[in-house]
Amino acid sequence: MDKDSIVLDEETLASYPQQPHGGKLVNRVLTGKERDEAMEKAKQLPTIMIDLEAVITLEMIATGVLSPNEGFMVEDDYKSVLTNGRLTNGVVWPVPLSFAPIGDRNEQIIQTLSVGDDVALADETKEPVAILKLADIFHYDRDFRASHLFGTTDRNHPGVDSIYRRMGDTALGGPIQLLRRVHWGPFENIRMEPKDTWKLFYQDKKFNSVGGFITGANPMHRGHEYIHRNALEELDGLFVQPLVEMAKREYTRHEFRMLSYRSVLDNYYPKERTVLAPLRVTYIFAGPREAVLHAIIMKNYGCTHALIGRDHAGIGDFYDKYAAHTIFDEFTSDELGIDIRLFHEVFYCTRCDHPATDQTCPHDERYRINISGTGIRELLRYGVLPPKEIVRPESARIAMQGIQPKGVDENNQAVSPVGKTIKSIFPYYLNRSRLGGPERNKPLVAEELTIEDLETAIMDVRSNADRVYKEISDEFSYVSDTLRSTQAGWIADARESLHKQQEMVVDYLEEKVNKAPDKASDEFMYQDKGEAEHELKVAQRMFDDIPSALRAEELQYRTWNPLPYQRYRGSDES
């Protein structure tokens, strides 16, 4: 079916278990004759040139991703959002949709405009993308936006830097009409608009609940999978949306991130209950406020639940790692109209032999492999496949192809210092010689670690991560199995041999004690009785420490009820 032919009327939407944010699924996409007439009109209008980020925002507005907004915000809504996190009508909206174009030519055009005018917005092809109906023209204060949205005016914050690079002095507000949608390249065939997902979830698949999951810079890892599987245990469907297009160069390229997700979902997820689609969105870098925006976007795609992990949309050290959780104390599920599910930091515990969080795992860091998105990216950049416990090889192999630059420099370093990478994934390494191993005599210093330390940590985990739980399980099974044919006979043979050998040592020392003098004639050459007795005592203790061989006949005592099985169940038949 042609996407443009999908129409969701208010009555149909009202029958679904979810509703669009603000009660209205916006559609500002012109089609057919109306679109042709508007395109001709746009060519006669004053034109403002816009960048790719603005093009993406226009499409998000027009297709309903940012409902109930129908265009760029007027000043009252813009300031209300920055100061209160809400539109002037009270509807929650955490991030302003503002349009303040830069460039000398654009500034000249803006000076000729008045409220009520129509203006064409064109991309780099100089072809119109949309028409903006001006409802407001107001001064754009960069510092005001930065301090209220990001909590800082530090240009090291990528969101703050973007304001000063991309935004001018005058903002234009008003509703838009989208004339054409830019081709999504390799994602064109799998792109989905809200009207597509509402129909898919609730008409085609008959879901009653859907968990939304938006993810950014990293390939799919086992932390994501932990969240997804928890959600699928109670929800009908899962909607996974990796962000595409806008990304910092250090990130995994979005084509490869999407393919890494697909490779894992195809092999490990229930296909009829899992939907994967790219989310072409601008990176705002707004930390906790962006987490709220993502929850609203999930809602506008029809999701009943928003799955939010630790440090969702986090930016370095600018925000607390759980700021994306505490923000929902202010913007609650009831007010947002979507059930917010918060997940703590996920790691892999080799003692549990399972992904876990501090909420579910009692073991300390000596058994942990951390799931750090940045650390995983840096391992891939070094040319190392991360441990399978934190990234499935299907995901890592593809993602590695989308990481630049490759390898290491002349100092065996990559983009991130190697010590930082080791510390982020192998938390035990600075204080312990190996996974689950003893403490080091002197802790290592992260800044002094080298590529050789990374090799050691990687090889250690590859060799030992499987062993921790397996060897514990093996020990439990050896002392528990009464069906001894399930156990290796050579273990019992070895234990019996140990017993015989140590018994021989004890017998010999007993004889030695019997013959030893009370006092040696030369303490440097001979032993007295007291020293011989001490030797014997140690040997006897070692004999006691040797575990039993546990043959089948030796375990008959464990069958304490001799009744035949049928009689044990209560049958009187012989």
Side-chain angles (χ1 to χ4, degrees):
M1 179 182 290
D2 184 354
K3 291 179 182 292
D4 290 337
S5 67
I6 298 176
V7 177
L8 297 177
D9 55 48
E10 292 184 7
E11 183 178 353
T12 301
L13 274 173
S15 67
Y16 293 155
Q18 181 56 290
Q19 297 300 305
H21 195 57
K24 177 183 180 181
L25 187 62
V26 169
N27 181 4
R28 305 291 293 179
V29 181
L30 298 184
T31 58
K33 182 179 179 181
E34 187 179 15
R35 181 252 181 206
D36 294 338
E37 292 174 349
M39 182 65 81
E40 289 303 313
K41 173 185 174 182
K43 293 177 181 179
Q44 311 305 316
L45 294 173
T47 300
I48 290 178
M49 303 303 296
I50 59 175
D51 60 14
L52 178 59
E53 193 164 345
V55 169
I56 293 173
T57 302
L58 286 169
E59 184 170 318
M60 294 175 71
I61 293 171
T63 57
V65 176
L66 302 178
S67 298
N69 297 284
E70 298 188 358
F72 295 114
M73 291 178 176
V74 298
E75 186 173 18
D76 286 348
D77 277 329
Y78 169 76
K79 288 186 174 179
S80 178
V81 165
L82 283 177
T83 55
N84 301 316
R86 291 165 174 77
L87 300 170
T88 52
N89 63 7
V91 173
V92 172
W93 196 266
V95 176
L97 301 177
S98 53
F99 178 53
I102 59 172
D104 294 341
R105 175 61 180 165
N106 283 343
E107 289 180 9
Q108 293 174 13
I109 297 295
I110 290 172
Q111 291 175 6
T112 69
L113 299 175
S114 301
V115 171
D117 290 347
D118 288 334
V119 58
L121 308 180
D123 63 9
E124 60 183 7
T125 68
K126 299 186 179 179
E127 286 292 309
V129 173
I131 294 175
L132 169 64
K133 182 76 172 181
L134 280 174
D136 199 2
I137 303 173
F138 58 96
H139 173 66
Y140 187 84
D141 187 331
R142 298 180 188 85
D143 286 344
F144 182 81
R145 176 181 172 117
S147 59
H148 282 79
L149 180 58
F150 304 118
T152 180
T153 56
D154 184 351
R155 288 289 294 266
N156 290 313
H157 187 296
V160 174
D161 184 61
S162 177
I163 291 176
Y164 289 93
R165 284 189 298 101
R166 293 188 58 252
M167 309 303 268
D169 296 321
T170 305
L172 308 177
I176 60 101
Q177 292 177 312
L178 194 69
L179 305 178
R180 65 183 178 89
R181 290 173 292 189
V182 177
H183 196 279
W184 282 27
F187 304 124
E188 184 65 26
N189 291 334
I190 58 173
R191 63 186 283 182
M192 299 190 80
E193 297 174 12
K195 64 181 181 182
D196 305 320
T197 54
W198 288 87
K199 178 180 181 299
L200 176 67
F201 297 158
Y202 302 119
Q203 290 186 30
D204 300 345
K205 291 185 175 291
K206 309 298 183 185
F207 289 160
N208 289 309
S209 57
V210 182
F213 184 81
I214 292 176
T215 180
N218 303 309
M220 185 172 184
H221 54 62
R222 300 290 291 274
H224 298 143
E225 193 173 327
Y226 178 90
I227 294 173
H228 299 164
R229 292 186 182 279
N230 272 278
L232 283 169
E233 288 291 342
E234 61 170 322
L235 305 179
D236 293 340
L238 172 69
F239 185 43
V240 180
Q241 289 187 288
L243 304 182
V244 301
E245 197 63 64
M246 305 296 291
K248 294 194 293 184
R249 292 191 177 197
E250 69 178 89
Y251 293 171
T252 311
R253 292 302 305 164
H254 50 260
E255 298 90 347
F256 296 94
R257 277 193 285 110
M258 276 293 297
L259 293 172
S260 80
Y261 266 82
R262 175 176 284 180
S263 68
V264 175
L265 266 58
D266 284 349
N267 285 287
Y268 297 99
Y269 282 56
K271 291 181 175 57
E272 291 304 312
R273 299 176 57 211
T274 308
V275 178
L276 174 69
L279 178 59
R280 199 167 187 249
V281 66
T282 59
Y283 278 88
I284 303 170
F285 302 106
R289 282 207 185 202
E290 194 157 2
V292 178
L293 176 64
H294 285 171
I296 292 172
I297 289 174
M298 295 178 215
K299 178 183 178 183
N300 282 331
Y301 270 97
C303 298
T304 56
H305 295 67
L307 313 178
I308 305 291
R310 185 219 66 157
D311 203 26
H312 185 100
I315 309 297
D317 297 324
F318 281 100
Y319 308 108
D320 179 78
K321 295 302 182 183
Y322 283 98
H325 286 193
T326 56
I327 189 72
F328 291 104
D329 294 336
E330 179 181 353
F331 302 104
T332 65
S333 291
D334 289 341
E335 186 176 21
L336 286 169
I338 183 169
D339 195 325
I340 306 297
R341 296 297 171 90
L342 305 175
F343 292 86
H344 285 248
E345 180 178 12
V346 183
F347 50 82
Y348 194 93
C349 175
T350 56
R351 178 64 181 85
C352 290
D353 193 30
H354 202 274
T357 73
D358 283 330
Q359 302 292 99
T360 60
C361 171
H363 305 114
D364 60 34
E365 287 188 340
R366 67 183 145 161
Y367 293 113
R368 290 184 186 178
I369 309 172
N370 281 349
I371 303 177
S372 161
T374 301
I376 289 168
R377 290 203 309 271
E378 293 311 316
L379 284 183
L380 296 172
R381 207 183 310 279
Y382 277 109
V384 177
L385 219 61
K388 67 183 184 305
E389 289 78 15
I390 62 173
V391 185
R392 291 198 185 271
E394 293 92 338
S395 174
R397 188 194 71 82
I398 292 176
M400 185 181 282
Q401 300 172 56
I403 286 284
Q404 295 293 337
K406 296 288 187 182
V408 296
D409 62 19
E410 64 276 8
N411 298 315
N412 272 344
Q413 299 296 321
V415 173
S416 180
V418 66
K420 183 177 180 181
T421 299
I422 293 173
K423 185 178 179 181
S424 69
I425 296 182
F426 310 107
Y428 60 86
Y429 189 80
L430 295 181
N431 295 300
R432 295 181 181 273
S433 59
R434 62 182 182 275
L435 183 66
E439 290 190 6
R440 297 181 185 275
N441 293 329
K442 182 180 178 182
L444 302 180
V445 178
E447 290 75 19
E448 297 176 357
L449 299 185
T450 67
I451 196 74
E452 286 75 21
D453 289 288
L454 178 59
E455 293 169 359
T456 299
I458 284 288
M459 298 304 291
D460 167 41
V461 164
R462 288 180 179 175
S463 298
N464 297 319
D466 291 340
R467 292 179 56 195
V468 177
Y469 187 73
K470 179 183 183 301
E471 292 184 6
I472 290 171
S473 174
D474 288 346
E475 186 65 20
F476 271 79
S477 66
Y478 188 84
V479 300
S480 301
D481 287 347
T482 53
L483 183 62
R484 298 314 290 178
S485 57
T486 61
Q487 291 298 322
W490 57 81
I491 296 179
D493 292 343
R495 292 185 178 185
E496 285 179 344
S497 179
L498 281 168
H499 273 105
K500 289 179 180 178
Q501 291 172 10
Q502 194 62 19
E503 186 177 33
M504 178 179 65
V505 172
V506 170
D507 289 344
Y508 181 86
L509 292 178
E510 286 177 342
E511 182 65 21
K512 179 180 176 180
V513 169
N514 291 334
K515 301 298 184 183
D518 291 334
K519 185 177 181 180
S521 59
D522 186 336
E523 63 177 309
F524 294 103
M525 297 292 291
Y526 306 105
Q527 290 179 303
D528 59 22
K529 186 179 287 288
E531 189 171 351
E533 287 175 340
H534 183 72
E535 269 185 342
L536 175 59
K537 184 177 180 181
V538 171
Q540 289 172 329
R541 177 69 181 271
M542 291 178 67
F543 179 84
D544 294 338
D545 286 342
I546 297 171
S548 300
L550 298 182
R551 301 286 188 185
E553 57 273 13
E554 295 163 342
L555 299 181
Q556 292 180 359
Y557 73 92
R558 298 185 184 181
T559 306
W560 53 268
N561 190 332
L563 288 175
Y565 186 52
Q566 285 186 328
R567 291 286 292 119
Y568 180 72
R569 297 185 64 187
S571 172
D572 289 329
E573 297 179 9
S574 59

